[in-house]
Short mmCIF file of all heavy atoms in Angstrom, two decimals:
data_model
loop_
_atom_site.label_atom_id
_atom_site.label_comp_id
_atom_site.label_asym_id
_atom_site.label_seq_id
_atom_site.Cartn_x
_atom_site.Cartn_y
_atom_site.Cartn_z
N SER A 9 8.34 -13.17 -5.32
CA SER A 9 7.35 -14.24 -5.49
C SER A 9 5.98 -13.85 -4.82
O SER A 9 5.96 -13.02 -3.92
CB SER A 9 7.88 -15.53 -4.85
OG SER A 9 8.17 -15.36 -3.41
N SER A 15 2.46 -12.74 2.13
CA SER A 15 2.86 -12.83 3.51
C SER A 15 3.18 -11.45 4.07
O SER A 15 2.74 -11.09 5.22
CB SER A 15 4.06 -13.75 3.64
OG SER A 15 3.69 -15.00 3.21
N SER A 24 -1.22 -2.36 10.44
CA SER A 24 -1.90 -1.15 10.01
C SER A 24 -3.27 -1.00 10.59
O SER A 24 -3.64 0.08 11.08
CB SER A 24 -2.06 -1.14 8.46
OG SER A 24 -0.82 -1.16 7.85
N GLY A 70 -57.92 -7.35 23.56
CA GLY A 70 -57.90 -8.48 22.60
C GLY A 70 -57.15 -9.67 23.14
O GLY A 70 -56.65 -9.66 24.27
N ILE A 80 -37.75 -2.72 18.86
CA ILE A 80 -37.73 -1.89 17.65
C ILE A 80 -36.68 -2.38 16.63
O ILE A 80 -36.72 -1.98 15.49
CB ILE A 80 -37.37 -0.38 18.09
CG1 ILE A 80 -37.76 0.60 16.98
CG2 ILE A 80 -35.87 -0.27 18.39
CD1 ILE A 80 -37.69 2.07 17.41
N GLU A 100 -46.41 2.23 12.18
CA GLU A 100 -46.68 3.64 12.52
C GLU A 100 -45.50 4.25 13.31
O GLU A 100 -45.13 5.41 13.04
CB GLU A 100 -47.94 3.70 13.43
CG GLU A 100 -49.22 3.39 12.74
CD GLU A 100 -50.42 3.34 13.66
OE1 GLU A 100 -50.23 3.61 14.84
OE2 GLU A 100 -51.54 3.06 13.16
N GLU A 120 -21.60 11.67 9.52
CA GLU A 120 -20.47 12.58 9.23
C GLU A 120 -19.26 12.22 10.09
O GLU A 120 -18.13 12.17 9.64
CB GLU A 120 -20.89 14.01 9.59
CG GLU A 120 -21.90 14.56 8.55
CD GLU A 120 -22.48 15.89 8.98
OE1 GLU A 120 -22.06 16.36 10.08
OE2 GLU A 120 -23.29 16.46 8.21
N ALA A 159 11.34 -5.51 -1.79
CA ALA A 159 11.33 -4.08 -1.78
C ALA A 159 10.58 -3.54 -2.94
O ALA A 159 9.99 -4.31 -3.78
CB ALA A 159 12.85 -3.56 -1.84
N SER A 171 8.27 11.43 -3.88
CA SER A 171 6.97 11.72 -4.60
C SER A 171 6.40 10.46 -5.11
O SER A 171 5.14 10.27 -5.07
CB SER A 171 7.32 12.69 -5.73
OG SER A 171 8.24 12.19 -6.65
N LEU A 191 -15.77 3.34 2.27
CA LEU A 191 -16.88 4.23 2.15
C LEU A 191 -18.14 3.49 1.66
O LEU A 191 -19.30 3.74 2.10
CB LEU A 191 -16.58 5.37 1.23
CG LEU A 191 -15.65 6.49 1.76
CD1 LEU A 191 -15.37 7.53 0.72
CD2 LEU A 191 -16.34 7.17 2.99
N LEU A 213 -12.20 -5.10 -6.76
CA LEU A 213 -11.54 -6.39 -6.57
C LEU A 213 -11.26 -7.01 -7.88
O LEU A 213 -10.12 -7.54 -8.09
CB LEU A 213 -12.41 -7.27 -5.70
CG LEU A 213 -12.56 -6.85 -4.26
CD1 LEU A 213 -13.53 -7.89 -3.54
CD2 LEU A 213 -11.19 -6.84 -3.51
N LEU A 215 -10.92 -5.46 -10.80
CA LEU A 215 -9.83 -4.66 -11.42
C LEU A 215 -8.52 -5.02 -10.88
O LEU A 215 -7.51 -5.07 -11.60
CB LEU A 215 -10.19 -3.17 -11.29
CG LEU A 215 -9.14 -2.17 -11.85
CD1 LEU A 215 -9.07 -2.34 -13.36
CD2 LEU A 215 -9.56 -0.78 -11.52
N ILE A 263 31.12 -1.68 -23.49
CA ILE A 263 31.78 -3.01 -23.34
C ILE A 263 31.36 -3.91 -24.43
O ILE A 263 32.12 -4.65 -25.00
CB ILE A 263 31.39 -3.57 -21.92
CG1 ILE A 263 32.04 -2.70 -20.79
CG2 ILE A 263 31.82 -4.98 -21.84
CD1 ILE A 263 31.61 -3.15 -19.45
#
Side-chain angles (χ1 to χ4, degrees):
S9 61
S15 300
S24 297
I80 200 170
E100 289 175 4
E120 292 171 357
S171 59
L191 284 176
L213 291 176
L215 179 61
I263 293 175

